């Protein structure tokens, strides 16, 4: 029951955890079917407890939406949008993303890669006292989850760390065998310094800076939005000085933190533009909601982003903005517009 409950919590956080739950079911069924008769008879009860724990977690997630009458929104976000989100990426882009994300992941995890590799070698050689299939299965289930999502962002690979942590102790055992030969010593001596130095240099490049702002920009080196995010609090205060509670704000772009800093709400649930990349329908819904409840200010930060996807829908959204708003100029990282005819 606990395994089902915590699997449900994990799936509520990241749906790709579904594959770990399926692994639990597979291992449970395989173990019971190969066990004694009394174990086989208890399989249905075990599956019922596992499913019951999952159902409790699911009910806890669904209950607030059911009570507020927003179950369609939950379905739209977790099923419809999720399928759209993972289905619109060309294979060539996925391959490029895998290459880039895997490189970042290796740089960050450092020696864990070597220990995990040695751990896998140990399992192949010695079986890990019967736990090998479960540990390897856990690792593979996470890989499948990442592959199905199809985005391959560097932070997605964080789900690999728990599996690697289980392989690492076995890797430490295997290291004794590897180091017993001259070839193994050369292999470890060649890779270990590289795996240690790269993470240390990456960490020094970030944490060597004195200020939080400088560390943030170093962490997202080359991302032009990092300086924007540092100026978010200042931009928020600028907007606060020119608005009243309830005036409303919409940012056409990625910088959703501006709502927090300005204490202003978006009149549409599409509080940033990324869903527009996946479907024109989302853009049309957003424009309809904005038309029905126009905010006092609209920001266009997308204009200054270096993303080719923006050009697909940018013209139509910008036309709506210019038809309803007066252009005030560029402030901080965005073009700023004020509702036409609004009192000063």
């Amino acid at each position: 029951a606990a395994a089902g409950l915590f699997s449900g919590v994990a799936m509520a956080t990241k749906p790709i955890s579904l594959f770990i739950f399926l692994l639990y079911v597979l291992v449970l069924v395989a173990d019971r079917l190969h066990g004694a008769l009394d174990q086989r008879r208890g399989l249905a009860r075990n599956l019922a407890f596992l499913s019951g724990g999952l159902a409790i977690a699911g009910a806890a997630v669904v209950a607030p939406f059911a009570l507020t009458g927003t179950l369609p929104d939950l379905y739209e976000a977790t099923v419809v949008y999720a399928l759209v989100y993972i289905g619109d990426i060309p294979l060539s882009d996925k391959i490029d993303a895998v290459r880039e994300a895997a490189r970042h992941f290796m740089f960050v995890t450092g020696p864990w890669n070597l220990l995990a590799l040695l751990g896998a070698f140990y399992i192949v050689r010695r079986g890990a006292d019967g736990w090998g299939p479960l540990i390897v299965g856990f690792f593979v289930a996470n890989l499948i989850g990442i592959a199905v999502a199809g985005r391959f962002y560097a932070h997605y690979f964080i789900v690999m760390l728990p599996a690697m942590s289980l392989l690492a102790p076995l890797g430490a055992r295997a290291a004794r065998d590897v180091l017993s030969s001259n070839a193994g010593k050369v292999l470890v001596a060649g890779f270990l310094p590289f795996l240690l130095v790269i993470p240390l240099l990456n960490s020094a490049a970030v944490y060597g800076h004195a200020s939080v702002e400088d560390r943030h920009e170093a962490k997202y080196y080359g991302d032009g939005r990092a300086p924007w995010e540092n100026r978010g609090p200042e931009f928020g205060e600028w907007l606060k000085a020119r608005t009243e509670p309830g005036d409303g704000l919409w940012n056409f772009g990625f910088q959703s933190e501006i709502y927090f800093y300005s204490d202003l709400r978006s009149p549409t649930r599409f509080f940033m533009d990324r869903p527009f990349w996946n479907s024109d329908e989302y853009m049309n819904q957003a424009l309809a909601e904005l038309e029905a409840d126009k905010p006092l200010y609209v920001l266009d930060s997308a204009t200054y982003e270096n993303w080719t996807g923006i050009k697909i829908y940018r013209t139509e959204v910008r036309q709506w903005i210019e038809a309803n708003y007066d252009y005030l100029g560029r402030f901080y990282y965005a073009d700023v517009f004020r509702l036409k005819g609004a009192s000063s």
Side-chain angles (χ1 to χ4, degrees):
L5 176 65
F6 290 119
S7 293
V9 173
M11 279 187 269
T13 306
K14 225 30 168 172
I16 61 174
S17 301
L18 166 67
F19 295 98
I20 300 174
F21 176 76
L22 295 178
L23 171 68
Y24 293 157
V25 173
L26 180 63
V27 170
L28 177 62
V29 171
D31 180 67
R32 294 297 183 269
L33 291 181
H34 286 83
L37 179 61
D38 59 334
Q39 289 181 312
R40 294 198 296 272
R41 288 173 175 172
L43 175 59
R45 182 186 60 191
N46 295 141
L47 289 175
F49 278 123
L50 188 65
S51 301
L54 180 67
I56 292 172
V61 171
V62 170
F65 294 91
L67 292 173
T68 56
T70 54
L71 282 175
D73 292 334
L74 176 64
Y75 178 76
E76 174 76 23
T78 58
V79 179
V80 177
Y81 181 70
L83 293 175
V84 172
Y85 181 76
I86 66 177
D88 70 331
I89 310 172
L91 179 60
S92 59
D93 289 354
K94 290 183 179 182
I95 294 173
D96 289 341
V98 170
R99 186 186 306 115
E100 186 69 13
R103 181 172 64 87
H104 286 299
F105 180 73
M106 290 183 65
F107 284 169
V108 171
T109 53
W112 286 97
N113 290 293
L114 180 60
L115 287 173
L117 181 63
L118 290 174
F121 172 75
Y122 182 91
I123 288 174
V124 172
R125 291 285 300 274
R126 301 193 180 186
D129 300 324
W131 291 99
L134 181 60
I135 296 174
V136 173
F138 184 40
F139 188 88
V140 172
N142 283 293
L143 276 179
I144 293 173
I146 296 173
V148 169
R151 290 285 171 170
F152 301 105
Y153 296 133
H155 64 273
Y156 277 32
F157 284 81
I158 296 300
V159 300
M160 303 305 304
L161 291 179
M164 293 175 68
S165 69
L166 295 177
L167 288 168
L170 299 176
R173 288 186 186 180
R176 292 179 300 182
D177 297 337
V178 173
L179 291 173
S180 64
S181 66
N182 291 330
K185 292 176 182 177
V186 172
L187 179 66
V188 173
F191 276 97
L192 192 57
F194 172 78
L195 294 173
L196 285 171
V197 169
I198 295 298
L200 288 174
L201 290 177
N202 282 336
S203 297
V206 174
Y207 295 103
H209 294 279
S211 70
V212 173
E213 292 77 14
D214 288 342
R215 289 198 294 270
H216 181 69
E217 292 188 29
K219 179 181 177 182
Y220 295 101
Y221 178 77
D223 189 337
R225 294 172 305 188
W228 298 359
E229 290 154 1
N230 282 336
R231 302 196 71 186
E234 186 180 350
F235 198 0
E237 291 299 321
W238 185 91
L239 287 163
K240 278 184 182 180
R242 292 160 175 81
T243 56
E244 298 291 338
D247 280 340
L249 170 73
W250 187 61
N251 176 54
F252 174 44
F254 187 70
Q255 307 310 121
S256 57
E257 74 279 357
I258 194 60
Y259 300 105
F260 171 77
Y261 291 127
S262 65
D263 284 335
L264 296 171
R265 294 176 62 88
S266 166
T268 173
R269 59 180 174 153
F270 299 99
F271 56 85
M272 66 178 190
D273 68 340
R274 290 310 188 259
F276 304 168
W277 294 30
N278 307 119
S279 173
D280 289 342
E281 178 60 27
Y282 293 137
M283 179 189 68
N284 295 332
Q285 290 180 30
L287 291 177
E289 292 168 358
L290 288 165
E291 182 66 29
D293 184 16
K294 296 184 180 69
L296 180 60
Y297 281 95
V298 167
L299 313 180
D300 180 2
S301 60
T303 293
Y304 302 103
E305 290 188 49
N306 295 321
W307 292 86
T308 56
I310 290 172
K311 297 177 182 178
I312 298 173
Y313 57 81
R314 182 187 175 282
T315 301
E316 188 169 347
V317 176
R318 184 75 179 217
Q319 286 175 347
W320 179 86
I321 295 172
E322 292 175 351
N324 294 279
Y325 289 81
D326 293 320
Y327 177 60
L328 303 184
R330 178 176 180 177
F331 295 86
Y332 299 92
Y333 54 75
D335 285 342
V336 178
F337 297 83
R338 183 181 172 88
L339 184 63
K340 289 181 179 180
S343 57
S344 301

